[in-house]
Protein backbone atom coordinates (compact mmCIF):
# COMPACT_ATOMS: atom_id res chain seq x y z
CA UNK A 1 0.00 0.00 0.00
CA UNK A 2 1.21 3.51 -0.79
CA UNK A 3 0.38 6.15 1.78
CA UNK A 4 1.21 9.82 2.08
CA UNK A 5 1.22 12.39 4.86
CA UNK A 6 1.09 16.11 4.20
CA UNK A 7 1.87 18.51 7.03
CA UNK A 8 0.80 22.05 6.19
CA UNK A 9 2.71 24.07 8.77
CA UNK A 10 2.55 27.84 9.23
CA UNK A 11 5.98 28.16 7.60
CA UNK A 12 6.72 24.97 5.66
CA UNK A 13 4.62 22.31 3.92
CA UNK A 14 6.05 18.80 4.01
CA UNK A 15 5.00 15.57 2.30
CA UNK A 16 6.17 12.04 3.10
CA UNK A 17 5.38 9.02 0.91
CA UNK A 18 5.60 5.43 2.20
CA UNK A 19 5.50 2.13 0.37
CA UNK A 20 4.12 -0.55 2.71
CA UNK A 21 5.01 1.55 5.73
CA UNK A 22 8.67 2.16 4.95
CA UNK A 23 11.26 3.24 2.33
CA UNK A 24 10.12 6.82 2.52
CA UNK A 25 10.71 9.76 0.25
CA UNK A 26 9.86 13.32 1.19
CA UNK A 27 9.77 16.92 -0.02
CA UNK A 28 9.22 20.31 1.55
CA UNK A 29 8.46 23.86 0.42
CA UNK A 30 7.53 27.19 2.03
CA UNK A 31 3.77 27.23 2.70
CA UNK A 32 3.01 30.66 1.18
CA UNK A 33 -0.58 31.73 0.64
CA UNK A 34 -1.90 29.09 -1.79
CA UNK A 35 -2.10 26.07 0.50
CA UNK A 36 -3.92 23.86 -2.02
CA UNK A 37 -1.36 24.26 -4.79
CA UNK A 38 1.74 24.06 -2.57
CA UNK A 39 0.41 20.84 -1.04
CA UNK A 40 -0.14 19.37 -4.48
CA UNK A 41 3.37 20.40 -5.59
CA UNK A 42 5.05 19.00 -2.48
CA UNK A 43 3.22 15.70 -2.74
CA UNK A 44 4.05 15.46 -6.45
CA UNK A 45 7.76 16.02 -5.67
CA UNK A 46 7.78 13.42 -2.88
CA UNK A 47 6.02 10.91 -5.20
CA UNK A 48 8.48 11.58 -8.03
CA UNK A 49 11.44 10.95 -5.70
CA UNK A 50 9.92 7.53 -5.02
CA UNK A 51 9.33 6.89 -8.75
CA UNK A 52 5.58 7.46 -8.35
CA UNK A 53 2.92 9.86 -9.62
CA UNK A 54 0.67 12.21 -7.66
CA UNK A 55 -2.29 9.85 -8.24
CA UNK A 56 -0.49 6.80 -6.81
CA UNK A 57 -0.96 7.09 -3.01
CA UNK A 58 -3.90 4.93 -1.87
CA UNK A 59 -4.51 7.07 1.19
CA UNK A 60 -3.43 10.58 2.12
CA UNK A 61 -3.60 12.06 5.62
CA UNK A 62 -3.42 15.85 5.90
CA UNK A 63 -2.23 17.43 9.14
CA UNK A 64 -0.96 20.79 10.41
CA UNK A 65 -2.78 24.10 10.66
CA UNK A 66 -3.82 24.10 6.98
CA UNK A 67 -5.08 20.49 6.93
CA UNK A 68 -8.74 21.31 6.30
CA UNK A 69 -7.86 23.06 3.00
CA UNK A 70 -6.64 19.91 1.21
CA UNK A 71 -9.39 18.56 -1.08
CA UNK A 72 -7.42 15.45 -2.14
CA UNK A 73 -6.81 14.17 1.42
CA UNK A 74 -8.50 10.92 2.53
CA UNK A 75 -8.79 12.31 6.05
CA UNK A 76 -7.31 14.81 8.48
CA UNK A 77 -5.59 14.15 11.83
CA UNK A 78 -4.22 16.74 14.29
CA UNK A 79 -0.51 17.53 14.20
CA UNK A 80 -0.11 16.55 17.87
CA UNK A 81 -1.26 12.96 17.15
CA UNK A 82 0.81 12.70 13.95
CA UNK A 83 3.94 14.16 15.53
CA UNK A 84 3.73 11.77 18.50
CA UNK A 85 3.26 8.80 16.17
CA UNK A 86 6.14 9.81 13.89
CA UNK A 87 8.47 10.22 16.87
CA UNK A 88 7.44 6.84 18.30
CA UNK A 89 8.22 5.19 14.94
CA UNK A 90 11.76 6.64 14.91
CA UNK A 91 12.44 6.46 18.67
CA UNK A 92 10.30 3.68 20.21
CA UNK A 93 11.47 4.54 23.76
CA UNK A 94 10.73 8.26 23.55
CA UNK A 95 8.26 9.55 26.13
CA UNK A 96 8.62 13.32 25.75
CA UNK A 97 8.55 15.26 22.49
CA UNK A 98 9.48 18.90 22.12
CA UNK A 99 8.48 20.36 18.75
CA UNK A 100 9.63 23.87 17.82
CA UNK A 101 8.08 25.00 14.57
CA UNK A 102 7.62 28.26 12.71
CA UNK A 103 4.85 29.77 14.80
CA UNK A 104 4.32 27.50 17.75
CA UNK A 105 6.17 25.23 20.11
CA UNK A 106 4.69 22.14 21.77
CA UNK A 107 5.61 19.63 24.41
CA UNK A 108 3.93 16.22 24.17
CA UNK A 109 4.07 13.35 26.63
CA UNK A 110 3.58 10.04 24.83
CA UNK A 111 2.96 6.46 25.98
CA UNK A 112 4.83 3.34 24.85
CA UNK A 113 2.53 3.02 21.81
CA UNK A 114 3.12 6.57 20.63
CA UNK A 115 -0.26 7.83 21.87
CA UNK A 116 -0.58 11.32 23.35
CA UNK A 117 -0.95 11.43 27.16
CA UNK A 118 -0.67 15.19 27.67
CA UNK A 119 0.48 18.24 25.75
CA UNK A 120 1.19 21.92 26.20
CA UNK A 121 1.41 24.42 23.39
CA UNK A 122 2.61 27.97 22.89
CA UNK A 123 0.80 29.35 19.87
CA UNK A 124 -0.30 32.79 21.05
CA UNK A 125 3.05 34.48 20.66
CA UNK A 126 6.09 34.09 18.39
CA UNK A 127 8.57 34.12 21.31
CA UNK A 128 9.99 30.63 21.75
CA UNK A 129 9.33 29.68 18.12
CA UNK A 130 11.15 29.61 14.78
CA UNK A 131 9.56 32.96 13.88
CA UNK A 132 11.54 34.60 16.69
CA UNK A 133 14.77 33.24 15.18
CA UNK A 134 13.70 34.21 11.65
CA UNK A 135 13.00 37.82 12.66
CA UNK A 136 16.23 37.96 14.66
CA UNK A 137 18.29 36.49 11.80
CA UNK A 138 16.78 38.95 9.33
CA UNK A 139 17.54 41.88 11.65
CA UNK A 140 21.12 40.67 12.09
CA UNK A 141 21.43 40.16 8.31
CA UNK A 142 22.29 36.45 8.51
CA UNK A 143 20.47 33.33 7.19
CA UNK A 144 18.34 31.55 9.81
CA UNK A 145 20.23 28.34 8.99
CA UNK A 146 23.47 29.99 10.22
CA UNK A 147 22.31 31.90 13.28
CA UNK A 148 22.92 28.88 15.56
CA UNK A 149 26.56 28.49 14.47
CA UNK A 150 27.07 32.25 14.78
CA UNK A 151 25.74 32.22 18.36
CA UNK A 152 28.21 29.48 19.25
CA UNK A 153 31.10 31.79 18.36
CA UNK A 154 30.09 34.26 21.08
CA UNK A 155 32.61 35.08 23.79
CA UNK A 156 30.45 37.55 25.67
CA UNK A 157 26.73 36.76 25.44
CA UNK A 158 24.40 39.78 25.64
CA UNK A 159 21.12 39.03 27.44
CA UNK A 160 18.02 40.02 25.48
CA UNK A 161 15.52 41.39 27.98
CA UNK A 162 12.46 41.57 25.66
CA UNK A 163 10.56 38.31 25.36
CA UNK A 164 8.16 39.81 22.78
CA UNK A 165 9.48 39.28 19.24
CA UNK A 166 8.64 42.82 18.13
CA UNK A 167 10.38 44.42 21.13
CA UNK A 168 13.31 42.01 20.82
CA UNK A 169 13.76 43.22 17.24
CA UNK A 170 13.92 46.83 18.47
CA UNK A 171 16.43 45.72 21.12
CA UNK A 172 18.59 44.03 18.46
CA UNK A 173 18.55 47.19 16.33
CA UNK A 174 19.75 49.29 19.25
CA UNK A 175 22.45 46.74 20.17
CA UNK A 176 23.68 46.82 16.55
CA UNK A 177 23.74 50.64 16.74
CA UNK A 178 25.96 50.32 19.84
CA UNK A 179 28.28 48.08 17.80
CA UNK A 180 27.60 44.94 19.82
CA UNK A 181 28.84 42.04 17.74
CA UNK A 182 26.28 39.76 16.14
CA UNK A 183 27.67 36.58 17.74
CA UNK A 184 26.95 37.96 21.23
CA UNK A 185 23.45 39.16 20.26
CA UNK A 186 22.69 35.77 18.66
CA UNK A 187 23.83 33.97 21.81
CA UNK A 188 21.46 36.09 23.94
CA UNK A 189 18.60 35.36 21.51
CA UNK A 190 19.21 31.61 21.72
CA UNK A 191 19.22 31.76 25.49
CA UNK A 192 15.90 33.63 25.39
CA UNK A 193 14.15 31.12 23.08
CA UNK A 194 15.43 28.10 25.01
CA UNK A 195 14.29 29.61 28.34
CA UNK A 196 10.78 29.95 26.88
CA UNK A 197 10.78 26.36 25.69
CA UNK A 198 12.16 25.17 29.02
CA UNK A 199 9.24 26.91 30.77
CA UNK A 200 6.82 25.07 28.47
CA UNK A 201 8.54 21.73 29.21
CA UNK A 202 8.39 22.37 32.97
CA UNK A 203 4.64 23.06 32.69
CA UNK A 204 3.95 19.36 31.92
CA UNK A 205 6.08 18.20 34.87
CA UNK A 206 8.10 15.66 32.84
CA UNK A 207 9.50 12.41 34.19
CA UNK A 208 13.19 13.12 34.94
CA UNK A 209 14.10 9.87 33.15
CA UNK A 210 12.01 10.55 30.02
CA UNK A 211 13.77 10.01 26.69
CA UNK A 212 13.40 13.39 24.99
CA UNK A 213 13.14 13.92 21.21
CA UNK A 214 13.30 17.37 19.60
CA UNK A 215 11.45 17.89 16.30
CA UNK A 216 10.41 20.79 14.05
CA UNK A 217 12.55 22.99 11.82
CA UNK A 218 14.25 24.63 14.81
CA UNK A 219 15.75 21.26 15.79
CA UNK A 220 18.08 21.78 12.77
CA UNK A 221 19.73 24.51 14.86
CA UNK A 222 22.52 22.73 16.78
CA UNK A 223 22.93 25.63 19.22
CA UNK A 224 19.30 25.26 20.34
CA UNK A 225 19.76 21.51 20.83
CA UNK A 226 22.93 22.03 22.86
CA UNK A 227 21.45 24.78 25.06
CA UNK A 228 18.30 22.78 25.72
CA UNK A 229 20.38 19.74 26.62
CA UNK A 230 22.34 21.86 29.06
CA UNK A 231 19.18 23.35 30.62
CA UNK A 232 17.45 19.95 30.92
CA UNK A 233 20.64 18.19 32.02
CA UNK A 234 20.17 15.23 29.67
CA UNK A 235 20.65 14.06 26.11
CA UNK A 236 18.13 15.12 23.49
CA UNK A 237 17.58 12.91 20.45
CA UNK A 238 17.11 14.61 17.07
CA UNK A 239 15.79 12.75 14.00
CA UNK A 240 17.82 12.86 10.78
CA UNK A 241 15.37 15.39 9.34
CA UNK A 242 13.42 16.73 12.33
CA UNK A 243 11.15 18.88 10.15
CA UNK A 244 9.28 16.01 8.48
CA UNK A 245 8.40 13.88 11.52
CA UNK A 246 4.76 15.06 11.69
CA UNK A 247 4.24 14.29 7.98
CA UNK A 248 5.87 10.88 8.55
CA UNK A 249 3.42 10.20 11.41
CA UNK A 250 0.54 11.19 9.11
CA UNK A 251 1.75 8.79 6.38
CA UNK A 252 2.07 5.98 8.94
CA UNK A 253 -1.38 6.64 10.42
CA UNK A 254 -2.85 6.60 6.89
CA UNK A 255 -2.13 2.85 6.80
CA UNK A 256 -4.46 2.33 9.73
CA UNK A 257 -7.34 4.31 8.25
CA UNK A 258 -10.48 2.20 7.72
CA UNK A 259 -12.10 2.93 4.33
P1 LIG B 1 5.92 24.82 10.74
O1 LIG B 1 5.60 23.34 10.85
O2 LIG B 1 5.22 25.66 11.77
O3 LIG B 1 5.76 25.33 9.35
P2 LIG B 1 8.71 24.05 10.82
O4 LIG B 1 8.74 22.87 11.73
O5 LIG B 1 8.76 23.78 9.36
O6 LIG B 1 7.45 24.97 11.15
O7 LIG B 1 9.91 25.00 11.26
C1 LIG B 1 10.14 26.24 10.64
C2 LIG B 1 11.26 26.95 11.39
O8 LIG B 1 12.43 26.12 11.35
C3 LIG B 1 11.69 28.25 10.77
O9 LIG B 1 10.95 29.30 11.35
C4 LIG B 1 13.18 28.35 11.12
O10 LIG B 1 13.36 29.06 12.33
C5 LIG B 1 13.59 26.91 11.37
N1 LIG B 1 14.49 26.34 10.36
C6 LIG B 1 14.15 25.83 9.14
N2 LIG B 1 15.23 25.37 8.49
C7 LIG B 1 16.29 25.58 9.30
C8 LIG B 1 17.70 25.31 9.19
N3 LIG B 1 18.24 24.74 8.11
N4 LIG B 1 18.48 25.66 10.24
C9 LIG B 1 17.97 26.23 11.35
N5 LIG B 1 16.65 26.51 11.52
C10 LIG B 1 15.82 26.20 10.51
Amino acid sequence: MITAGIDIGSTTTKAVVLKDGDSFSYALQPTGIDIGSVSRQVLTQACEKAGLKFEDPDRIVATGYGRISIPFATTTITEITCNAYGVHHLFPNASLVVDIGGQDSKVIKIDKNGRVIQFAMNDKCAAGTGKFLEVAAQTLGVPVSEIGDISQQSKNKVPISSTCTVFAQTEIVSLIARQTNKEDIAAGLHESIVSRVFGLISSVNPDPKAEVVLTGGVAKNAAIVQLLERMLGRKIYVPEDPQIVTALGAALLARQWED
Side-chain angles (χ1 to χ4, degrees):
M1 183 194 294
I2 296 165
T3 62
I6 304 182
D7 172 18
I8 306 100
S10 61
T11 309
T12 321
T13 296
K14 310 92 175 165
V16 166
V17 175
L18 301 179
K19 278 190 214 159
D20 299 325
D22 53 30
S23 65
F24 71 95
S25 64
Y26 65 89
L28 35 98
Q29 267 188 40
T31 298
I33 51 163
D34 189 348
I35 291 174
S37 86
V38 81
S39 302
R40 190 171 275 273
Q41 281 168 29
V42 161
L43 180 56
T44 305
Q45 279 172 12
C47 285
E48 282 170 357
K49 284 186 189 172
L52 301 167
K53 293 197 291 296
F54 173 80
E55 298 76 27
D56 289 337
D58 300 298
R59 292 174 193 164
I60 301 170
V61 166
T63 186
Y65 98 110
R67 63 184 178 275
I68 51 163
S69 314
I70 307 304
F72 52 84
T74 316
T75 190
T76 62
I77 301 180
T78 74
E79 62 267 35
I80 311 267
T81 301
C82 293
N83 180 284
Y85 205 72
V87 167
H88 174 73
H89 178 79
L90 299 171
F91 299 92
N93 298 320
S95 53
L96 189 74
V97 188
V98 181
D99 180 84
I100 314 178
Q103 282 180 30
D104 61 38
S105 39
K106 324 175 186 65
V107 178
I108 313 168
K109 276 185 180 173
I110 61 177
D111 71 12
K112 57 182 178 10
N113 298 311
R115 291 203 192 90
V116 177
I117 300 171
Q118 185 190 353
F119 74 90
M121 189 157 163
N122 157 32
D123 63 351
K124 299 273 187 301
C125 158
T129 72
K131 192 74 193 168
F132 185 80
L133 284 172
E134 278 184 42
V135 170
Q138 203 179 16
T139 313
L140 288 174
V142 300
V144 75
S145 56
E146 287 172 23
I147 194 169
D149 291 348
I150 291 169
S151 77
Q152 287 178 318
Q153 288 156 26
S154 164
K155 297 210 168 37
N156 188 20
K157 178 181 68 195
V158 177
I160 303 292
S161 55
S162 319
T163 44
C164 167
T165 307
V166 178
F167 292 145
Q169 189 178 22
T170 310
E171 201 174 331
I172 298 166
V173 171
S174 67
L175 285 167
I176 294 169
R178 278 185 266 140
Q179 302 194 323
T180 311
N181 73 47
K182 60 178 187 282
E183 291 80 3
D184 295 340
I185 301 173
L189 289 161
H190 279 68
E191 181 99 355
S192 161
I193 187 171
V194 171
S195 306
R196 290 289 285 214
V197 173
F198 182 74
L200 193 66
I201 296 171
S202 305
S203 76
V204 302
N205 199 14
D207 174 351
K209 294 203 192 81
E211 184 172 307
V212 185
V213 176
L214 184 63
T215 66
V218 175
K220 290 181 170 169
N221 179 325
I224 293 283
V225 180
Q226 212 179 68
L227 269 178
L228 200 54
E229 280 185 330
R230 211 175 298 154
M231 231 177 250
L232 282 174
R234 72 182 100 164
K235 173 156 181 59
I236 292 176
Y237 295 86
V238 180
E240 201 176 307
D241 191 332
Q243 210 167 1
I244 55 129
V245 175
T246 304
L248 170 66
L252 289 164
L253 286 166
R255 274 172 66 79
Q256 299 172 13
W257 176 254
E258 302 287 336
D259 287 316

